[in-house]
Amino acid sequence: MEKRQQIYEGKAKKVYATDDSRFVIVSYKDDATALDGLKKGTIAGKGAINNRMSNFLMRLLEKHGVPTHFVDELNDRETVVKKVSIVPLEVIIRNVSAGSFAKRFGVEEGIVFESPTIEFSYKNDELHDPLMNSYHAIALKVATREEIEYIKELAFKVNEVLKEYFLSLDVRLIDFKLEFGKLEDGTIVLADEISPDTCRFWDAVTNEKLDKDRFRRDMGGVEDAYKEMMHRVLGE
Ligand code: UDP
C-alpha cells in the first residue's frame, strides 16, 4: 500500500490517505496535550509505544469478537486502519473513581464500583467536549438509538476483555476512553487508540500510576511509566 497526502493532523496522530480509498495510515507522534489543550509537551518514545500497544489490544479484542479498524502495523509508528467517519462521541468507561468523575462528584479517587459506568462527551474542541447523554446524542443526530445501544454493548465488552487481560499483567484498569467509527456501509467498529494516553492504569500491588496522569499532574517518570506498560504488554 502506498502512502499519499496527509489528510488530517490531530494532537497525537497524523492521518494519511493511501492508494486504496478504503484505508488510511495513522502515524503516532510523541506530542502530548492535556487539560483541554492548555498543557503541551512531548513524551519521548510515546508514539511507538501507543501505536504498538494499541495494535496489540485491537488484535486481542478482535479475537474476542469486537470489530475494530485495525488492518496492519507498518512500522513502530505507522498503522493501516480502515477509513471510518468518527462518531463524535468520547465513550468513557469507569471501574474505579478517578479524574473528572472524582472532581465532579466530590469523591476521592480509588472507589471501586460494583458495576462499571459509562458516559459520553460530545467531541467538539470549541465547546470543550461537553458531557452528552444518549437522548442528547439522538436529538442532535450524532447517532441513532440503535447505534448508541450497539456502542454501549461493545464498550462494556471491551471493558470485560481488557480488565481481565490487564489484571493478568498486575495492572488495574481504572477507566478509559473509546471512540467508534462508521465504515462506508454503516458498520460500527472500534477506532482511535487504546494506550496510556487514553486509559488509567494503576499497578495492582502498589497502585502506582502507569499512564498519562503522570504528565497531566507533573508527577515525573512519564517516559518510564509508558515503557513499563509497554514491557508488561509486549514483553520488551
Ligand atoms: N480521556 C481521554 N481523552 C479525553 C478525556 C479523557 O483519553 O479527552 C481518558 C482519560 O485518559 C481517562 C478517562 O478517559 O482514562 C476518563 O477521563 P476523565 O473524564 O476522568 O478526564 P480527565 O481527568 O482525564 O480530564
Side-chain angles (χ1 to χ4, degrees):
M1 191 161 318
E2 204 179 300
K3 186 161 133 188
R4 295 262 168 95
Q5 77 283 7
Q6 183 180 311
I7 47 183
Y8 174 78
E9 176 159 10
K11 290 166 216 149
K13 297 190 277 297
K14 294 179 185 178
V15 182
Y16 297 87
T18 69
D19 53 356
D20 185 329
S21 65
R22 293 170 299 170
F23 305 113
V24 295
I25 292 173
V26 293
S27 179
Y28 285 71
K29 305 189 286 186
D30 285 352
D31 298 348
T33 63
L35 311 175
D36 204 17
L38 252 93
K39 188 177 169 66
K40 286 191 175 70
T42 58
I43 300 173
K46 170 172 91 75
I49 290 173
N50 286 6
N51 180 45
R52 299 192 51 216
M53 191 186 302
S54 188
N55 291 342
F56 177 90
L57 296 172
M58 294 274 177
R59 284 198 193 100
L60 178 75
L61 288 164
E62 288 271 359
K63 277 188 213 143
H64 285 85
V66 176
T68 80
H69 70 164
F70 176 76
V71 177
D72 186 29
E73 184 171 291
L74 294 177
N75 55 52
D76 267 8
R77 283 180 191 273
E78 295 182 315
T79 296
V80 181
V81 299
K82 292 176 184 164
K83 182 152 92 188
V84 298
S85 61
I86 290 286
V87 178
L89 290 173
E90 299 201 333
V91 180
I92 293 170
I93 297 271
R94 302 178 190 273
N95 296 305
V96 177
S97 67
S100 72
F101 181 98
K103 206 169 169 192
R104 184 177 314 123
F105 298 114
V107 297
E108 73 267 35
E109 297 197 305
I111 302 166
V112 179
F113 303 147
E114 239 165 71
S115 312
T117 68
I118 191 164
E119 72 211 37
F120 302 116
S121 294
Y122 182 41
K123 258 176 80 76
N124 185 311
D125 283 341
E126 265 169 55
L127 300 175
H128 312 287
D129 300 343
L131 265 182
M132 174 175 260
N133 71 31
S134 55
Y135 292 89
H136 301 153
I138 294 160
L140 293 174
K141 297 203 184 325
V142 168
T144 67
R145 171 165 301 285
E146 293 71 27
E147 285 167 351
I148 302 254
E149 282 312 310
Y150 185 56
I151 284 171
K152 278 194 205 165
E153 190 186 306
L154 287 180
F156 283 122
K157 171 87 190 194
V158 168
N159 186 44
E160 291 312 310
V161 174
L162 294 187
K163 212 171 49 177
E164 187 184 301
Y165 170 69
F166 280 113
L167 211 49
S168 77
L169 309 176
D170 263 347
V171 171
R172 299 174 70 196
L173 178 60
I174 303 303
D175 59 28
F176 57 96
K177 185 262 301 178
L178 300 175
E179 294 184 23
F180 293 86
K182 269 164 101 171
L183 303 179
E184 199 90 63
D185 68 0
T187 309
I188 287 183
V189 299
L190 181 62
D192 195 47
E193 67 177 284
I194 306 173
S195 71
D197 272 16
T198 64
C199 302
R200 283 195 171 92
F201 297 126
W202 294 1
D203 180 89
V205 177
T206 64
N207 279 326
E208 186 191 356
K209 294 186 197 311
L210 296 171
D211 57 57
K212 196 174 162 187
D213 269 349
R214 301 198 77 89
F215 172 77
R216 292 188 190 101
R217 303 177 187 190
D218 293 318
M219 297 170 74
V222 186
E223 278 89 359
D224 283 345
Y226 277 70
K227 274 193 214 150
E228 175 63 22
M229 282 307 302
M230 171 84 164
H231 178 67
R232 292 200 198 183
V233 174
L234 292 160
E236 37 185 280

